[in-house]
Amino acid sequence: MTETVTTDADQATSAETFQTLNPATGEVLATLPVESAQQIAGKLADARAAQQWWAQIGFGARKERLLKWRTAISARIEEIAEVIHREGGKPLDDARLEVILAVEHIDWAAKNARKVLGRRNVSPGMLLANYAASVSHVPYGVVGVIGPWNYPVFTPMGSIAYALAAGNTVLFKPSEYTPLVGKWLVESISEVVPEHPVLQLVTGLGQTGADLCTSGVDKIAFTGSTGTGKKVMAACAQNLTPVLMECGGKDVLIVDEDADVPAAVDAAVFGGFSNAGQTCIGTERVYAHEKVYDDVVARLAETARSLVPGDDTGASYGPMTMPSQLDIVRRHVDDALDRGARAVVGGRDSVGERYVAPVVLADVPEDSLAVTEETFGPTITVGKFATVDEAIKKANATRYGLGAAVFSKSRGELIAERLRTGMVSINSVVSFAGMASLPFGGVGDSGFGRIHGADGLREFARAQSIARLRVPIPLNVTSLARRPGMLKMLGKAVAKRFGA
Ligand code: NDP
């Protein structure tokens, strides 16, 4: 059923609209307003007023509200999973999984905000031992969260829950492909926090995101492609608005010679094909030790061939959510095959009009697009290595650096520590994303800053330091009335202390 959605009372001023579709069928699900810079300014003013209240009620009251929200979402997992499935195309089970993970994050952020951000005493140091020193982390104010469509609940929640727990209010601009999911989230929190709009929806297209960046919000938390991330940074530079960048990835899965090969292949198939490969931390490259390479390729081929993309309950994964992604996947597969790669499963014909059948490519030149660029489709490349050094070199030969997985019985940590990525799973895949205590984020073209965990809370707060004079002493160096020779004497004492 098609609905026309308004996001607030002043929608009448929104001349332009856009449609959100079911990517499996093309059915129009809703028509929504493209909000203008002026409308964003109005919402920002409301968010500022709400933030005064939200900050002032303190950690305890915020925790109580956020835990209510967690419970409310948990009670309606089936309902939101259905919205995700219809608007994003992924199978219902995948939709349920992302909601389950998201509520874990709300729970953790709510319960840990005071401990991580609350005021704590620190040592003033010997030089100023007559002072008391303390630091606390105070909210930025209003945070703009710009989200992607591939995990429309889990991904923005990594910013929203942590920003709210820290005492900020949020303006949330979901992807134009999943605005109804964003709307559901905003409505669900307004039921448990009815007093003020602590989380508001901003709908529209790319320009709306750009307008949010220059609206005067106090921080932007962006999740999306590296290319858009650069535009967001440039826009935010205008007002020196701080940014968190969660961008694309080209994650690797390494299968060592002593690995449990069936488990590694099962993980590679989940990491590479679930959600049609449209996962920032999806497995796009597999490197297997030469002793297990043939076994890995054979098992990968067998399992990948058994996958069935579709829209029904038995489907392994759904359609490509964003039609333009089909061209990118096609270009990467064609480029690899043109350069001599071998299609172990699928090939050029695998890319259809809405769906992409599984593709496994072997003998892919390391400089081909399928190895160097984010494909974001149900494709995997498989390569070989002889030594750990070679595996690390190949794994790290990318501008991206988001997540990775290592399968090894004896040297998982050793390999993991040498990977240039923000996160690594050992003998599993993407497991770090489900652990709310672990920071999540990348390096290089995958971005910077962290969501999740204590670092994720600090990302949405600024440190405020306080130094309090406890006991006045005659040796006051910050007074122009200080005694002549005092600093010379102090210099000698410092030199002695540091062994000069
Ligand atoms: P995009 O970069 O296309 O869009 C991301 C968001 O930015 C959308 O809400 C989009 O709005 C908005 N946007 C577009 N143009 C601008 C602009 N000029 N200024 C401000 N905002 C803008 O990414 P996708 O939605 O296609 O998401 C897929 C990408 O996200 C992949 O690269 C994936 O790896 C990455 N990703 C990263 C994650 C991480 O944690 N590191 C997690 C999940 C995804 P609109 O949709 O209306 O154009």
Side-chain angles (χ1 to χ4, degrees):
M1 198 189 75
T2 308
E3 57 176 318
T4 299
V5 177
T6 52
T7 54
D8 66 5
D10 64 355
Q11 284 314 320
T13 58
S14 239
E16 214 187 319
T17 58
F18 70 103
Q19 294 180 325
T20 177
L21 312 177
N22 178 332
T25 61
E27 176 201 356
V28 177
L29 297 175
T31 302
L32 296 106
V34 174
E35 295 192 62
S36 63
Q38 195 190 352
Q39 285 168 306
I40 294 173
K43 289 189 173 181
L44 178 58
D46 292 345
R48 286 223 179 282
Q51 200 268 330
Q52 299 287 320
W53 169 77
W54 186 240
Q56 164 266 314
I57 64 173
F59 287 112
R62 286 200 297 272
K63 174 179 163 185
E64 188 199 316
R65 305 307 178 93
L66 290 172
L67 293 183
K68 270 192 191 164
W69 191 32
R70 167 211 63 185
T71 304
I73 297 177
S74 311
R76 294 165 64 190
I77 290 176
E78 289 303 306
E79 186 186 320
I80 178 64
E82 183 64 37
V83 182
I84 299 170
H85 167 65
R86 284 205 310 151
E87 200 176 36
K90 68 176 65 169
L92 274 171
D93 266 351
D94 287 354
R96 290 181 184 109
L97 180 59
E98 76 161 290
V99 182
I100 291 165
L101 294 178
V103 290
E104 282 292 324
H105 283 283
I106 302 176
D107 183 72
W108 196 92
K111 289 178 177 165
N112 288 278
R114 184 198 297 272
K115 191 171 71 189
V116 174
L117 304 174
R119 185 162 294 283
R120 66 194 164 85
N121 294 328
V122 295
S123 165
M126 260 176 77
L127 198 58
L128 294 162
N130 56 322
Y131 280 75
S134 67
V135 59
S136 71
H137 286 79
V138 297
Y140 277 101
V142 181
V143 174
V145 173
I146 300 176
W149 45 265
N150 61 341
Y151 289 86
V153 170
F154 175 74
T155 294
M157 194 58 84
S159 295
I160 292 170
Y162 291 77
L164 288 174
N168 305 278
T169 53
V170 173
L171 294 184
F172 174 33
K173 150 73 179 84
S175 163
E176 66 192 78
Y177 294 96
T178 51
L180 293 182
V181 177
K183 178 174 169 278
W184 191 97
L185 284 177
V186 169
E187 286 172 357
S188 69
I189 197 170
S190 69
E191 286 167 22
V192 292
V193 189
E195 298 92 335
H196 294 276
V198 295
L199 174 64
Q200 294 181 74
L201 185 70
V202 176
T203 59
L205 311 176
Q207 182 58 44
T208 316
D211 289 341
L212 184 60
C213 293
T214 51
S215 65
V217 290
D218 302 297
K219 177 147 188 166
I220 285 284
F222 169 79
T223 309
S225 61
T226 306
T228 308
K230 290 178 184 175
K231 290 184 196 164
V232 166
M233 276 189 77
C236 286
Q238 292 179 31
N239 297 328
L240 277 190
T241 305
V243 288
L244 160 70
M245 285 283 137
E246 294 285 349
C247 302
K250 191 72 191 171
D251 287 11
V252 72
L253 184 146
I254 293 174
V255 191
D256 200 6
E257 59 182 309
D258 63 350
D260 177 341
V261 171
V265 168
D266 185 61
V269 169
F270 180 83
F273 298 106
S274 62
N275 202 25
Q278 303 166 116
T279 305
C280 54
I281 47 170
T283 305
E284 299 214 352
R285 301 174 294 152
V286 172
Y287 289 108
H289 191 278
E290 59 188 11
K291 286 190 184 154
V292 295
Y293 176 80
D294 290 342
D295 193 16
V296 167
V297 174
R299 286 175 189 270
L300 201 50
E302 191 187 342
T303 317
R305 269 192 211 108
S306 70
L307 302 178
V308 189
D311 185 35
D312 49 25
T313 43
S316 317
Y317 60 82
M320 301 304 284
T321 310
M322 198 170 60
S324 57
Q325 198 65 29
L326 288 160
D327 286 338
I328 296 174
V329 178
R330 188 179 293 112
R331 196 155 47 83
H332 287 197
V333 173
D334 285 348
D335 176 69
L337 296 176
D338 290 349
R339 288 160 177 254
R342 189 163 52 92
V344 180
V345 177
R348 297 183 203 269
D349 297 340
S350 301
V351 185
E353 287 194 4
R354 291 191 197 279
Y355 293 90
V356 179
V359 178
V360 178
L361 300 166
D363 307 326
V364 188
E366 293 296 316
D367 62 351
S368 57
L369 295 174
V371 177
T372 58
E373 300 292 327
E374 186 181 47
T375 307
F376 228 53
T379 69
I380 280 185
T381 65
V382 207
K384 199 186 286 185
F385 67 87
T387 64
V388 168
D389 282 350
E390 187 187 352
I392 300 292
K393 194 170 167 202
K394 286 181 167 168
N396 286 345
T398 167
R399 299 188 316 276
Y400 295 102
L402 196 53
V406 179
F407 279 76
S408 174
K409 291 200 177 88
S410 58
R411 45 187 182 183
E413 267 91 359
L414 188 136
I415 297 172
E417 284 169 5
R418 293 179 63 191
L419 290 171
R420 182 182 163 273
T421 63
M423 298 86 61
V424 187
S425 299
I426 298 175
N427 297 329
S428 62
V429 70
V430 307
S431 45
F432 46 76
M435 297 175 198
S437 53
L438 280 182
F440 184 109
V443 299
D445 273 11
S446 294
F448 53 83
R450 293 293 180 264
I451 53 171
H452 302 175
D455 295 78
L457 281 167
R458 284 188 212 103
E459 189 72 43
F460 295 103
R462 59 183 171 79
Q464 188 195 40
S465 302
I466 294 185
R468 177 174 58 84
L469 179 65
R470 278 188 308 115
V471 192
I473 55 169
L475 205 73
N476 185 359
V477 293
T478 57
S479 163
L480 290 183
R482 65 192 170 212
R483 276 190 287 120
M486 184 197 283
L487 277 165
K488 199 165 179 186
M489 191 183 75
L490 194 61
K492 282 184 185 163
V494 166
K496 196 166 174 194
R497 180 174 161 223
F498 293 129

